[in-house]
Amino acid sequence: MDNKKTWFITGASKGFGLSLVRQLLNQGQRVAATSRNLEQLKDVVGTDSPSFLPLQVDLGSDSSVKAAIDRTVETFERIDVVVNNAGYGIGGSIEELSDKESRDSFDINVFGTLHVIRHVMPIMRRQHSGHIFNISSIAGIAANTGWAMYAATKFSIVGLTEVLAEDVREFGVKVTIVAPGAFRTSFLTKESLALPECPIAEYQSVRESHEKYLQMNGQQAGDPEKAAAAIIQTATAAEPPLYLLLGEDAYNRAMRKLEFLAEEFKRSEELARSMAYHG
């Protein structure tokens, strides 16, 4: 990277977030990184470099996020790139998940992202520059059985990011949706994946889907270091993509979804075109 930038990365103590932090610091970039556990974050990154600002943040709290962003600007004077990476998986049918389980997932996966955007945009507008990466998932484009609530949060990220890109273009701010497939991170471990507290035995296809994914843990094809490098490379592009699909599985699922949508939309074409008034 030619110029030193300040990055703000959520969920930085593991997975994509940790890979990003390490690569960026190795490249001489300034990094503000958040985690629920400050000591864990410091331990895994393992540096006291003045270019690294570890921050303990509750992403479900608007005030906690604001304080972290304020601290970042006080320390580094600006924020150039934001990566809304924090989030967790949640499995189960809608009937099986309690209101609290569902709302908790939205609090982190969606509202945590909204909190960051809300407080970073005034900075980027003043700078007339910046790049926001919102980490969704291929499940936010093409969902699978047994992951309705997770898909709901990730579809939300896709929708809000598409509109965000339009809303902030006039300020010189770029926006990218990142949709990874299966990567060899801690995503399928207990610390990153919630399953229903009260499962319903009749949902056999949901149980089978969960079992298939849990068995995949540690065998995923995707390399998180390559994913982090791709995000860093995209941040240098003059015209970055709105959608960044990561992983061959993600690309294939997205293309199958395109074909599915085209077929489904055409099924109702005649009816759709018959809705106009005829006076």
Side-chain angles (χ1 to χ4, degrees):
M1 300 174 71
D2 296 330
N3 301 313
K4 184 174 284 192
K5 293 183 177 181
T6 297
W7 290 61
F8 183 90
I9 301 169
T10 67
S13 62
K14 57 190 175 184
F16 290 155
L18 180 57
S19 294
L20 274 168
V21 170
R22 288 172 170 165
Q23 290 188 31
L24 288 165
L25 290 174
N26 286 338
Q27 294 175 17
Q29 303 303 301
R30 296 179 294 255
V31 180
T34 82
S35 176
R36 291 172 296 176
N37 187 321
L38 186 62
E39 292 308 313
Q40 180 186 15
L41 176 60
K42 291 178 179 178
D43 288 345
V44 294
V45 175
T47 181
D48 57 1
S49 167
S51 295
F52 176 53
L53 177 63
L55 297 161
Q56 183 166 327
V57 176
D58 173 8
L59 284 174
S61 165
D62 185 69
S63 60
S64 179
V65 171
K66 182 180 185 302
I69 289 173
D70 288 347
R71 175 84 183 282
T72 301
V73 175
E74 290 168 6
T75 304
F76 297 132
E77 298 184 346
R78 59 186 295 118
I79 298 176
D80 299 294
V81 185
V82 167
V83 182
N84 283 306
N85 169 69
Y88 67 93
I90 178 168
S93 69
I94 292 172
E95 182 185 0
E96 292 175 302
L97 293 168
S98 68
D99 182 72
K100 183 178 186 306
E101 288 172 300
S102 300
R103 288 178 184 272
D104 284 351
S105 68
F106 268 86
D107 275 347
I108 301 303
N109 292 1
V110 179
F111 284 95
T113 294
L114 293 176
H115 294 329
V116 173
I117 294 168
R118 185 180 302 116
H119 293 297
V120 82
M121 270 309 305
I123 298 160
M124 291 185 169
R125 278 194 295 107
R126 287 195 298 270
Q127 296 170 175
H128 210 77
S129 68
H131 196 155
I132 298 172
F133 289 86
N134 290 334
I135 309 294
S136 177
S137 166
I138 189 55
I141 298 171
N144 282 335
T145 298
W147 306 94
M149 200 56 59
Y150 181 66
T153 65
K154 294 304 183 178
F155 267 85
S156 294
I157 293 298
V158 168
L160 70 88
T161 306
E162 284 190 351
V163 179
L164 176 69
E166 295 294 323
D167 291 347
V168 303
R169 181 176 289 113
E170 63 184 297
F171 308 121
V173 178
K174 301 165 184 175
V175 181
T176 297
I177 302 161
V178 183
F183 278 78
R184 206 167 298 180
T185 66
S186 61
F187 182 74
L188 293 175
T189 62
K190 289 183 179 180
E191 62 179 358
S192 299
L193 177 64
L195 295 176
E197 294 180 5
C198 299
I200 298 172
E202 285 85 348
Y203 282 103
Q204 285 300 311
S205 61
V206 171
R207 300 287 85 73
E208 290 168 4
S209 176
H210 293 173
E211 186 62 27
K212 182 185 82 171
Y213 276 91
L214 290 172
Q215 289 176 355
M216 190 192 302
N217 187 37
Q219 305 299 318
Q220 300 97 318
D223 181 346
E225 296 300 321
K226 290 182 178 179
I231 293 170
I232 294 170
Q233 180 180 353
T234 302
T236 70
E239 297 294 334
L242 174 60
Y243 278 87
L244 180 61
L245 299 171
L246 296 179
E248 186 175 4
D249 57 337
Y251 181 82
N252 290 339
R253 279 173 64 175
M255 297 307 291
R256 286 197 298 269
K257 181 63 178 285
L258 274 181
E259 295 170 2
F260 170 79
L261 287 176
E263 292 175 3
E264 282 295 304
F265 292 165
K266 284 187 176 297
R267 289 177 64 184
S268 59
E269 179 181 5
E270 183 178 351
L271 186 62
R273 293 182 184 278
S274 70
M275 294 293 108
Y277 280 105
H278 292 288

